[in-house]
Amino acid sequence: MDYQEKRIYFVMSPHINYYHSFRGDSIGTDGFGLDIQIMENLVKMVEDCESQGLCHGKIPISWDYSDLFWTIQLQKKFQPEVLNQVIRRCKDGKDEVILGTWGNSILPGLDTEELVQQSKWLRNNQMGIGLEQLFQGRIAPYIRTQETMFTQGMIEILNQLGVKGILNYYTVIPFDTTRPLLNPPLDWNQQYNPIHFHSNVSDAQMLMIPMYGFGETMDHLSVGKWLKKIRKHQKSGEIPGHALVVLNHDMDSYTWNGTHLPKILQWMPNIGGISEIIKAVDKLSYVQFTTLLEIIPQLTPQGDVTLHQDVADGCFNGYYNWAQKFDNTRYWTIGQQARWLKSATDTLIADQICPSTTKTHSLLRSEDDREDSYIKNKILFASTTNFGMSMPFNHPHRQKTALKYGVNAFKAAELSLMGVLQFIFHTADGIPLKEDHLLILPITQRGATPEEQKNYPPKLLIDSSFYPEINSFFDSFIKNPLKNLLIEKTEEETHLKFILSTQQLSQEGFFLGNQQEFSSLIELKESNLELHADSLKLQNEFLNLQFNHLGKITSFSFQGQEFAAPHFLDSSLSFGKKNAVKSFTSQRDQILVLEDGSNGFSASVQITAEFFVEKNKVVITEKIVTVYRGLPQLFVSVSMKIPEIKGSANSDSNVYSVKVPYDDRWQEIIPCEIRPGFLGQENYLRIWKHNFLGRTTSFDLDLEEVDSSNGDVDCFVGNISDGWMAVSNRKQGLLVGFNSLKAANFAFSPLKWKKKGFGDISQTGQQIRINPFGTYFGEMLHHWGTGTGHAQKIIPSYSSTFKSTAPTFSGKNIQFDLVIHPYLGDKPQNAVQAMANHYSLPPLIVAWNGKTQKIIHNFGQIQASVKEIIKEYDITSLLEMSYLEWVEKINANYIPENKRRDDLNLSVKHLITLFIDGIRSKF
């Protein structure tokens, strides 16, 4: 193509969401009132520029509605005239809307059925606020997922839904998705053109459209300078044809509206908002505003890429902001408890133990978005806003509404399960059984696709509690104990523990029988002499865990190979100002033998420790570590009590309005650090992950191949985890799983690694540390670029986004259960994965008393914990409210704030840098 014929096509795409984690539900500028103000100004500025004849009077916008459920409701009620302007502009063929999400969900946190249903509601719904109902004929078939989140398996589903491409950030600031990760890096032509975007689980593909933000305009001095640099690469031939620039950023940012600076600095670039962009484009004859509907069909994809990590535009290019907050684990656990109840119902029906009913279908998966179904509430609960880009805390309003949707999903799933349980213990004629019976049901139905159906391993640990009591089924076993069946009865609960041989299950995959039939499930083998625990050792026939005289783990071996570095499973934290951060941990741990192995069933020790952070501020940790005869897994129950240390910092500046005070000296919380003893030497270490679409995939820790500055990584959260993750060096690996009914998180374990190791073992090589349910922090990933490099230094300095989540753990008690499975090879074997899947969502157990005709089940504790959280957060009335009723309540006595939110809180050093860059932009 001749140079003079080449064009730069410019797409402006404001990202709209009135439902925030860093502001509340008020009508003022500390709530969605700020969105109303900026959106109104944005539309006005565009139409004013058009009326002035700039860019030939045609300035199209690609509106990016990140959610419809909350935002359209709020626009219809509080800003109908602006919504109608956008509808009119689309109807006139000027603007377009791109695909987003119905309830701004964490799409990688949904299963297939949920992802498909939210996509259907995005286009059409009974509330009448779908894209096709509002913007018919102007919907671009390209998706900008909420927070640009992506996981493997999505391409296949999006293809089926008619989505042609995905917009991913490729930016020079930490608010990014792919730049440090795509290997090899994109060349100039690929950066400014669509690319073939491939799945790594099938041959499916779609387009990837690189997307940029205001970091680029800062890094290249101004939008005009940036466009001129792209033009130079068109002239040199590095971009042989047209170029595409997609500028997408949060609409509620003053970078669209204009930023307030002192008068003496108002000449500087990048503060004039969308008007500055329009005027810059108007001066360049080779730049043309357009829409994706118009331009993408005219462009040829430039190459092929595959993204292996699970990504989002949070800190460290992943899920840090949404996953690594203390409260968010509590919230996600409720969602997983609800999912367990739903999956139990689906498994009962699939196994033909219970019939499907119209009521059950309506409770779980009504297609009417006005109904209070499980699937509706689960999708809304999984909103990214409910977990929050806001750092370190979310707005109190958002905590309450997050719980509303999570609890209502739980209640719908609970009703559905309780409704079908009554059918279990009856004859075909509907007559109740007179004899005591027990049902043990592995939860195999996790979703709608074959990948979401879970096989079970040869042996399965049953570790379950009946609350507040257990019925007569187990009375005889308490009086006449069976070897290898442990029953512990207290006033509050009955705890049941045994190893189930899944070969004894029925062909359909469950056990339903009387006491005598249950006895046949319990293995009665003699004691294994290798099952042993003392103050220096914990072992069974597979595993050997060794302690030194200080109570620290020195070795963890499996099949003669070492799997642990020193201080394996240690607890610690980091605390202090940025340049004076100190690590705190215990010097000596206490080992108490709980079960020495002589029972022939299990051996366990309790590891306790205390250490001080400040005077009278003590951290107390407890870990119960257990091995069982016949199982090659280590089971770890963790508790870490963090002292409360208060501070005066908050996140109430610029567009953030979270006034929760905290001490910003909290840096890292490490309840139980897993320190593998194997290294990446011949190859990079590899992370295996299993997501909610049932896909098991991997990525290598090869970031230094993209950017040598990323050889050592302080924190990385790029592994969506439905129950487990694993790390390997291709020869040996460690799988780490968790019990989702105790504590669950969609990205439960941040990682850190060093290319030459941490120096705690004799060999050198890439070494990793894993921090389940904790939080790491440190330097953001480096984002290579061709500009000044100033954006990635300056923007995090004034944005509240780039902070540690550690303050959210202050004064809290962290509790979770892990399973650790060493293995040989690269990928965890199928049986190892199956074990982890069923540890995460364990079997449903239901006991029937034939005399009283009462049912006792193993989810009473879950029901009690949900009732406690309802009371703790005072949300009883909120559970019955619509969102707009909640908004009305919040604003009933609202007093608007008197505060500017368009100021930049920059240091003198950074102001000088921008001042110099501003001068450079003029030449």
Side-chain angles (χ1 to χ4, degrees), residues 721-765:
S721 300
D722 179 13
W724 61 269
M725 61 153 288
V727 59
S728 83
N729 66 355
R730 323 290 175 92
K731 297 177 181 178
Q732 58 185 128
L734 273 179
L735 178 144
V736 183
F738 57 91
N739 180 346
S740 292
L741 302 187
K742 177 78 170 285
N745 194 297
F746 52 91
F748 79 109
S749 188
L751 314 172
K752 71 165 56 181
W753 65 84
K754 290 185 178 293
K755 62 181 179 180
K756 294 184 179 179
F758 292 94
D760 55 359
I761 57 179
S762 58
Q763 293 181 301
T764 60

Side-chain angles (χ1 to χ4, degrees), residues 670-682:
I670 307 170
C672 182
E673 190 169 52
I674 296 170
R675 301 182 175 187
F678 50 84
L679 304 173
Q681 294 176 316
E682 299 174 3

Side-chain angles (χ1 to χ4, degrees), residues 171 754 805:
T171 72
K754 290 185 178 293
T805 57

Side-chain angles (χ1 to χ4, degrees), residues 452-675:
E452 293 162 277
Q453 317 303 307
K454 301 305 178 187
N455 296 325
Y456 34 77
K459 293 181 180 180
L460 193 59
L461 175 67
I462 303 296
D463 185 355
S464 201
S465 293
F466 292 80
Y467 172 90
E469 59 180 347
I470 196 167
N471 72 8
S472 58
F473 185 91
F474 287 101
D475 285 348
S476 63
F477 298 119
I478 294 173
K479 296 174 183 176
N480 303 293
L482 280 178
K483 197 174 185 64
N484 299 330
L485 170 64
L486 299 185
I487 302 177
E488 299 173 355
K489 194 167 187 177
T490 67
E491 292 182 1
E492 295 183 349
E493 65 177 11
T494 301
H495 198 143
L496 178 69
K497 192 180 289 190
F498 65 94
I499 295 172
L500 173 67
S501 173
T502 56
Q503 294 176 348
Q504 302 296 321
L505 298 176
S506 68
Q507 186 176 355
E508 294 79 10
F510 61 89
F511 167 81
L512 178 60
N514 57 30
Q515 293 166 326
Q516 183 176 353
E517 291 166 326
F518 173 72
S519 300
S520 66
L521 290 179
I522 308 300
E523 291 187 308
L524 299 176
K525 293 181 181 178
E526 295 300 317
S527 173
N528 189 305
L529 296 177
E530 293 185 74
L531 189 64
H532 176 77
D534 59 37
S535 61
L536 296 176
K537 182 169 60 177
L538 176 68
Q539 69 174 37
N540 66 6
E541 64 266 44
F542 302 105
L543 308 175
N544 190 309
L545 191 71
Q546 296 185 10
F547 308 90
N548 63 16
H549 67 286
L550 296 176
K552 301 292 185 180
I553 296 173
T554 58
S555 175
F556 177 45
S557 60
F558 168 70
Q559 294 192 6
Q561 295 197 38
E562 183 58 61
F563 281 79
H567 298 274
F568 190 70
L569 307 187
D570 250 18
S571 304
S572 64
L573 59 81
S574 298
F575 186 85
K577 288 294 185 181
K578 184 175 181 180
N579 297 321
V581 177
K582 294 182 179 180
S583 180
F584 297 84
T585 189
S586 63
Q587 300 304 309
R588 177 187 292 272
D589 295 353
Q590 302 298 318
I591 306 292
L592 175 66
V593 176
L594 300 179
E595 181 58 62
D596 65 6
S598 60
N599 64 4
F601 179 66
S602 65
S604 63
V605 298
Q606 180 188 66
I607 308 171
T608 57
E610 295 184 2
F611 56 91
F612 287 87
V613 182
E614 289 185 331
K615 186 178 180 180
N616 298 324
K617 299 295 183 181
V618 63
V619 177
I620 302 172
T621 69
E622 176 186 291
K623 292 181 280 284
I624 296 176
V625 186
T626 306
V627 294
Y628 296 90
R629 180 179 57 76
L631 298 182
Q633 299 109 30
L634 194 69
F635 297 85
V636 187
S637 182
V638 180
S639 171
M640 185 181 193
K641 294 181 180 179
I642 308 289
E644 185 171 39
I645 300 178
K646 299 179 179 180
S648 58
N650 64 38
S651 298
D652 185 20
S653 64
N654 200 254
V655 298
Y656 275 65
S657 181
V658 182
K659 299 177 175 65
V660 180
Y662 63 91
D663 193 318
D664 58 9
R665 291 176 296 171
W666 291 104
Q667 300 295 326
E668 295 184 314
I669 305 295
I670 307 170
C672 182
E673 190 169 52
I674 296 170
R675 301 182 175 187

Side-chain angles (χ1 to χ4, degrees), residues 384-418:
T384 62
T385 297
N386 288 334
F387 295 85
M389 173 68 82
S390 177
M391 298 289 273
F393 289 94
N394 291 350
H395 195 282
H397 290 174
R398 204 51 61 237
Q399 294 175 326
K400 286 180 177 287
T401 56
L403 286 169
K404 163 191 165 64
Y405 297 113
V407 169
N408 280 344
F410 181 93
K411 285 179 171 291
E414 179 186 32
L415 279 173
S416 71
L417 180 55
M418 296 303 292

